[in-house]
Amino acid sequence: MSAIRYELIKTDKQTGARLGILHTPHGSYETPMFMPVGTLATVKTMSPEELKEIGAGVILSNTYHLWLRPGHDIVKEAGGLHQFMNWDQAILTDSGGFQVFSLSEFRKIEEEGVHFRNHLNGDKLFLSPEISMEVQNALGSDIMMAFDECPPYPAEYDYMKKSVERTSRWAERCLKAHKRPKDQGLFGIVQGGEYEDLRKQSAEDLVSLDFPGYAVGGLSVGEPKETMNRMLEFTTPLLPADKPRYLMGVGSPDSLIDGAIRGIDMFDCVLPTRIARNGTVMTSSGRLVVKNAKYARDFCPLDEHCDCYTCRNYSRAYIRHLIHTNEILGFRLCTYHNLHFLIQLMERVRQAIREDCLMDFREQFFEQYGFNKPNAKNF
Amino acid sequence: MSAIRYELIKTDKQTGARLGILHTPHGSYETPMFMPVGTLATVKTMSPEELKEIGAGVILSNTYHLWLRPGHDIVKEAGGLHQFMNWDQAILTDSGGFQVFSLSEFRKIEEEGVHFRNHLNGDKLFLSPEISMEVQNALGSDIMMAFDECPPYPAEYDYMKKSVERTSRWAERCLKAHKRPKDQGLFGIVQGGEYEDLRKQSAEDLVSLDFPGYAVGGLSVGEPKETMNRMLEFTTPLLPADKPRYLMGVGSPDSLIDGAIRGIDMFDCVLPTRIARNGTVMTSSGRLVVKNAKYARDFCPLDEHCDCYTCRNYSRAYIRHLIHTNEILGFRLCTYHNLHFLIQLMERVRQAIREDCLMDFREQFFEQYGFNKPNAKNF
């Protein structure tokens, strides 16, 4: 019996989007869902109570970052990541693979693993499927991710083919090295870039290993949105219907809806928290850069249709002042609002699936948000 | 009828410390009390709800800073500072005088006011009693402070005498320029440095103007603590018993107790919030620099005798990790704890006054905190 179980409730008649429940050792959560990112064992600026207030379910934390600081041994000594950070709901940890490829330098990929240099101080480091599993077992996350190779975008076919094959071999090693399958569910990651046959090969390899969940990796790395959607349409049907599907690193409102339409159940992204700290927020009528001078005397809430703590109590003028003067409360208020916005969006997506009208909802949302406009500002 | 009224409840038999109630247009608060500082219309890192949770009463905000950013006109347009920052309890604003002397450059003091340069961009500015009143009237604080000259420490007798006389003339101009005496109480500020006869002259001048409250200024500017205590002992008896007394810019635990012993009712200081953001906290057994590596594996709370949110839920190891990685939640947790510590301390001071045992409490607190040790680390 795996630590993670997915229960399919219903499928939207317009699109094939799935309404489901993800059962974890730390609670059950409705899908499709968005997972806020807490890289260093904290969702930047937010307290656990605030996360619960906005209805956050699963949060994500980064294995690579925690491995370096404070070190997985310290987190383990604290009783695991949940206890360390005072979060009693579910946690997903990534494998460190993406950070090795995006943050570190001088990396050298071998069959055994990856040699690279620490992004903080340049120290030599080595990460492998076995080490990633050891670290994630120490962290004690509910959902662990297999250690994969994240190829650059774009990548040549031959490179991608070798990479996909290595990722499959590494996935098998991850399964073998995983010491706590009863407490933690390990997800495989389908790679293959823009190549359909490699996506297929990757999906088949991983499905044959019978993971309790599957991620689609290597998307949202610079390719056009159409490519992402096409690859999702191709890939998700290759994955078993009774397992959850996770699209990694995607968090713009349009992509969440378009991913759900293509059968994705889980999303994560630093987008809402990152742009918040720069004074940019998502509203029902589109992106708003509250930091701009034009909001200095605007005493309306960030979003007049929003009932979150920020919008109930503070004006654009006040938040603009806080961001402008680098005040932490400003970062808090924008982060709170953005996470609330995406979590509410997913609740509306689920409601649309319940009512078999997700395409209608998409149309309406895109229109209101301004995604349909030519030259629409996106993220 | 003044906007501010002080009600003396009782005097401690051991010391003459006062238990009282400060009545303001936004609520009544027991004294002696500590007021957290919210320089830019936010107590750094804290939400209004968190401030109330720890029992904060009056908070302070800085006229000079708000004058520059966002501008008092914008705050007024928002409906005043309370509404702008979502704080329905009392607010005290300083006059800007101290910031002009501590932050700005090229200042030139004239009878009319002070010419100086903006600390942000070097722009030429001019502040006077009339302008300070205009700005504070626009902010709408419950307690306003008279615009005074803050002389350097140490200052020659002749300089100080002229400064005290000018401050008295400016105080009179402030009273005249103050447009909202029914909504906002204006406090005078006794200056005079270390010179008893000048303190006496300043106190007499101001008392004759009949302010609804008095501050003791020009202390905690670099002089030995003994000097501060001596000047307080000399000055407070010169002030009317039926008016509140406010010691500006003082917030270390020993000075709060020693000030209360000498008849001070109100204190403010950036100390608890500033040191928090550097990972330093106040605990019942003294100062603790949680940022230090030795706390990396310390899973105890910051203070085992504290029941605040931070201490109930987080370990030193976790907070050390957050501060070490510059995570905002770390600044929040330390700030919360430090403000809670000082507000609790004042509650204990008031209880000791009620029980006529403030000197005994002082002895016990100093012993436990380590203030009695030779070479005790202080702030």
Side-chain angles (χ1 to χ4, degrees):
Chain A
M1 175 84 180
S2 165
I4 297 294
R5 198 165 57 80
Y6 174 75
E7 186 182 345
L8 178 62
I9 302 294
K10 78 160 277 187
T11 302
D12 175 54
K13 285 182 188 151
Q14 288 189 322
T15 64
R18 295 142 49 98
L19 183 74
I21 300 174
L22 184 76
H23 299 282
T24 82
H26 288 87
S28 297
Y29 307 94
E30 283 193 315
T31 58
M33 69 170 158
F34 176 78
M35 304 181 288
V37 178
T39 296
L40 279 157
T42 167
V43 175
K44 286 191 197 300
T45 84
M46 298 281 286
S47 73
E49 289 73 17
E50 287 159 351
L51 287 168
K52 288 179 187 173
E53 209 170 80
I54 59 174
V58 184
I59 63 171
L60 185 141
S61 211
N62 291 113
T63 293
Y64 169 78
H65 288 86
L66 295 175
W67 183 47
L68 298 184
R69 297 186 301 183
H72 59 294
D73 51 333
I74 287 180
V75 176
K76 188 178 182 179
E77 229 178 290
L81 189 52
H82 294 84
Q83 195 163 334
F84 185 59
M85 68 183 287
N86 186 33
W87 180 250
D88 57 10
Q89 297 185 177
I91 301 174
L92 181 151
T93 46
D94 63 2
S95 69
F98 182 74
Q99 280 71 32
V100 166
F101 291 90
S102 66
L103 286 179
S104 67
E105 296 190 330
F106 308 114
R107 60 183 166 271
K108 197 179 151 204
I109 306 163
E110 293 174 352
E111 186 60 23
E112 180 58 21
V114 190
H115 296 271
F116 61 101
R117 286 186 186 274
N118 181 333
H119 75 291
L120 298 169
N121 59 17
D123 279 358
K124 282 187 186 178
L125 291 170
F126 178 71
L127 209 51
S128 67
E130 288 75 17
I131 297 173
S132 175
M133 292 303 105
E134 186 193 331
V135 175
Q136 293 186 69
N137 280 159
L139 297 176
S141 49
D142 300 85
I143 301 174
M144 297 161 55
M145 299 304 298
F147 185 73
D148 58 340
E149 188 195 334
C150 301
Y153 173 82
E156 297 290 327
Y157 182 87
D158 287 352
Y159 182 99
M160 188 62 84
K161 185 169 169 65
K162 279 185 191 144
S163 170
V164 159
E165 287 165 358
R166 182 183 289 125
T167 287
S168 293
R169 290 192 297 275
W170 284 3
E172 205 170 343
R173 279 166 55 190
C174 284
L175 270 178
K176 241 182 238 164
H178 178 17
K179 293 281 190 299
R180 303 175 57 188
K182 282 183 189 161
D183 307 320
Q184 302 175 266
L186 174 62
F187 282 22
I189 305 176
V190 177
Q191 292 284 358
E194 302 180 81
Y195 305 105
E196 292 190 352
D197 65 323
L198 298 182
R199 286 278 170 193
K200 183 158 186 280
Q201 180 181 341
S202 181
E204 284 174 354
D205 287 353
L206 294 172
V207 170
S208 76
L209 293 172
D210 195 25
F211 286 96
Y214 296 90
V216 184
L219 292 178
S220 192
V221 291
E223 79 284 1
K225 293 225 172 189
E226 296 67 37
T227 307
M228 177 163 88
N229 287 336
R230 190 166 45 80
M231 294 319 299
L232 288 178
E233 272 160 34
F234 179 81
T235 307
T236 52
L238 304 172
L239 300 172
D242 62 347
K243 301 286 173 71
R245 303 157 182 175
Y246 162 32
L247 176 55
M248 304 178 83
V250 165
S252 72
D254 53 341
S255 298
L256 293 181
I257 297 172
D258 283 341
I261 283 171
R262 289 160 181 86
I264 294 294
D265 309 304
M266 303 160 66
F267 302 86
D268 84 285
C269 196
V270 295
L271 180 81
T273 43
R274 179 170 292 167
I275 64 174
R277 298 195 305 284
N278 196 25
T280 299
V281 293
M282 304 171 182
T283 79
S284 53
S285 49
R287 206 176 79 134
L288 187 146
V289 185
V290 71
K291 197 184 180 176
N292 286 349
K294 70 170 165 175
Y295 299 112
R297 290 169 189 275
D298 185 337
F299 300 107
C300 297
L302 291 179
D303 184 347
E304 300 208 53
H305 299 289
C306 177
D307 65 348
C308 83
Y309 168 74
T310 301
C311 291
R312 283 199 318 273
N313 294 294
Y314 303 92
S315 66
R316 293 171 177 178
Y318 181 61
I319 296 169
R320 191 255 166 193
H321 160 68
L322 294 178
I323 297 284
H324 186 57
T325 54
N326 236 1
E327 284 287 350
I328 282 175
L329 183 60
F331 308 143
R332 289 179 59 180
L333 295 178
C334 289
T335 302
Y336 191 105
H337 172 83
N338 277 350
L339 287 177
H340 178 270
F341 182 87
L342 288 190
I343 287 165
Q344 279 301 304
L345 172 62
M346 297 317 282
E347 171 54 39
R348 291 163 73 197
V349 164
R350 292 194 296 270
Q351 189 56 30
I353 299 175
R354 261 180 222 110
E355 296 169 4
D356 291 310
C357 62
L358 185 53
M359 278 312 284
D360 301 336
F361 172 75
R362 179 191 189 277
E363 190 58 31
Q364 190 190 350
F365 181 87
F366 272 46
E367 186 60 34
Q368 214 183 345
Y369 201 93
F371 282 124
N372 289 341
K373 285 183 204 148
N375 305 318
K377 267 194 202 164
N378 206 334
F379 296 105
Chain B
M1 177 82 180
S2 166
I4 297 294
R5 197 165 56 80
Y6 174 76
E7 186 183 346
L8 178 63
I9 303 293
K10 75 161 281 189
T11 302
D12 175 53
K13 285 181 186 151
Q14 287 187 323
T15 63
R18 295 142 49 98
L19 184 73
I21 300 174
L22 184 76
H23 300 282
T24 82
H26 288 87
S28 297
Y29 307 94
E30 284 194 315
T31 58
M33 70 169 159
F34 176 78
M35 303 180 289
V37 177
T39 295
L40 279 157
T42 167
V43 175
K44 286 189 195 303
T45 84
M46 299 281 285
S47 73
E49 289 72 17
E50 287 159 352
L51 287 169
K52 289 179 187 174
E53 207 172 80
I54 59 173
V58 184
I59 63 169
L60 187 141
S61 210
N62 291 114
T63 292
Y64 169 79
H65 289 86
L66 295 175
W67 183 47
L68 298 185
R69 297 187 299 184
H72 58 293
D73 51 333
I74 287 180
V75 176
K76 188 177 181 180
E77 229 179 291
L81 190 51
H82 294 84
Q83 196 164 334
F84 186 59
M85 67 183 287
N86 185 31
W87 180 250
D88 57 10
Q89 298 185 176
I91 301 174
L92 182 151
T93 46
D94 63 3
S95 69
F98 183 74
Q99 280 71 32
V100 166
F101 291 91
S102 67
L103 286 179
S104 67
E105 295 189 330
F106 308 112
R107 62 183 163 272
K108 196 178 151 205
I109 306 163
E110 294 174 352
E111 186 59 24
E112 179 59 21
V114 191
H115 296 272
F116 61 100
R117 285 187 187 273
N118 182 332
H119 75 291
L120 298 168
N121 58 14
D123 279 357
K124 280 187 188 178
L125 292 170
F126 178 70
L127 209 50
S128 67
E130 288 74 18
I131 296 172
S132 175
M133 292 305 103
E134 186 194 332
V135 176
Q136 293 186 70
N137 280 159
L139 297 176
S141 49
D142 300 85
I143 301 174
M144 298 162 55
M145 300 304 298
F147 186 71
D148 58 341
E149 188 194 335
C150 301
Y153 173 84
E156 297 290 328
Y157 182 87
D158 287 351
Y159 182 98
M160 188 62 84
K161 185 170 169 62
K162 278 184 193 146
S163 169
V164 159
E165 287 165 357
R166 181 183 291 125
T167 287
S168 293
R169 290 191 297 275
W170 284 2
E172 206 171 341
R173 280 167 55 191
C174 284
L175 269 178
K176 242 181 237 163
H178 178 17
K179 293 281 192 298
R180 303 175 57 189
K182 281 183 189 162
D183 307 320
Q184 302 176 265
L186 173 63
F187 282 23
I189 305 175
V190 178
Q191 292 285 357
E194 300 180 81
Y195 305 105
E196 292 190 352
D197 66 323
L198 298 183
R199 286 278 170 194
K200 183 158 184 281
Q201 181 182 340
S202 181
E204 284 174 355
D205 286 352
L206 295 172
V207 171
S208 77
L209 293 172
D210 194 25
F211 285 96
Y214 295 91
V216 185
L219 293 177
S220 193
V221 290
E223 79 286 1
K225 293 226 172 186
E226 295 69 35
T227 306
M228 178 163 86
N229 287 337
R230 190 164 47 79
M231 294 320 298
L232 288 179
E233 273 159 34
F234 178 82
T235 306
T236 53
L238 304 173
L239 300 173
D242 61 346
K243 301 286 173 69
R245 302 157 182 175
Y246 161 32
L247 177 56
M248 304 178 81
V250 165
S252 73
D254 53 341
S255 298
L256 292 181
I257 298 173
D258 283 341
I261 284 171
R262 288 160 183 86
I264 295 294
D265 308 303
M266 302 159 68
F267 303 85
D268 84 284
C269 195
V270 296
L271 180 82
T273 42
R274 179 169 291 167
I275 64 175
R277 298 194 306 282
N278 196 26
T280 299
V281 293
M282 305 172 182
T283 79
S284 53
S285 50
R287 206 174 79 131
L288 186 145
V289 185
V290 70
K291 196 184 181 176
N292 286 348
K294 69 170 166 176
Y295 299 113
R297 289 170 189 276
D298 185 337
F299 300 106
C300 298
L302 291 177
D303 184 347
E304 300 210 52
H305 299 289
C306 178
D307 65 348
C308 83
Y309 168 74
T310 301
C311 291
R312 284 200 317 273
N313 295 295
Y314 303 91
S315 67
R316 292 171 178 178
Y318 181 61
I319 296 169
R320 192 254 166 195
H321 160 69
L322 293 178
I323 297 284
H324 187 57
T325 54
N326 237 0
E327 284 287 352
I328 282 175
L329 184 60
F331 307 143
R332 289 180 58 179
L333 296 177
C334 289
T335 302
Y336 191 105
H337 172 84
N338 278 351
L339 287 177
H340 178 270
F341 183 87
L342 287 190
I343 286 164
Q344 279 300 304
L345 172 62
M346 297 317 281
E347 172 55 39
R348 290 162 74 196
V349 164
R350 292 194 295 270
Q351 189 57 30
I353 299 174
R354 263 180 220 109
E355 296 169 4
D356 291 310
C357 63
L358 185 54
M359 279 311 286
D360 301 337
F361 172 76
R362 178 189 189 277
E363 190 57 30
Q364 191 191 349
F365 181 87
F366 273 46
E367 186 62 34
Q368 214 183 343
Y369 201 94
F371 282 124
N372 290 340
K373 284 183 205 148
N375 306 320
K377 267 194 203 166
N378 206 331
F379 296 104

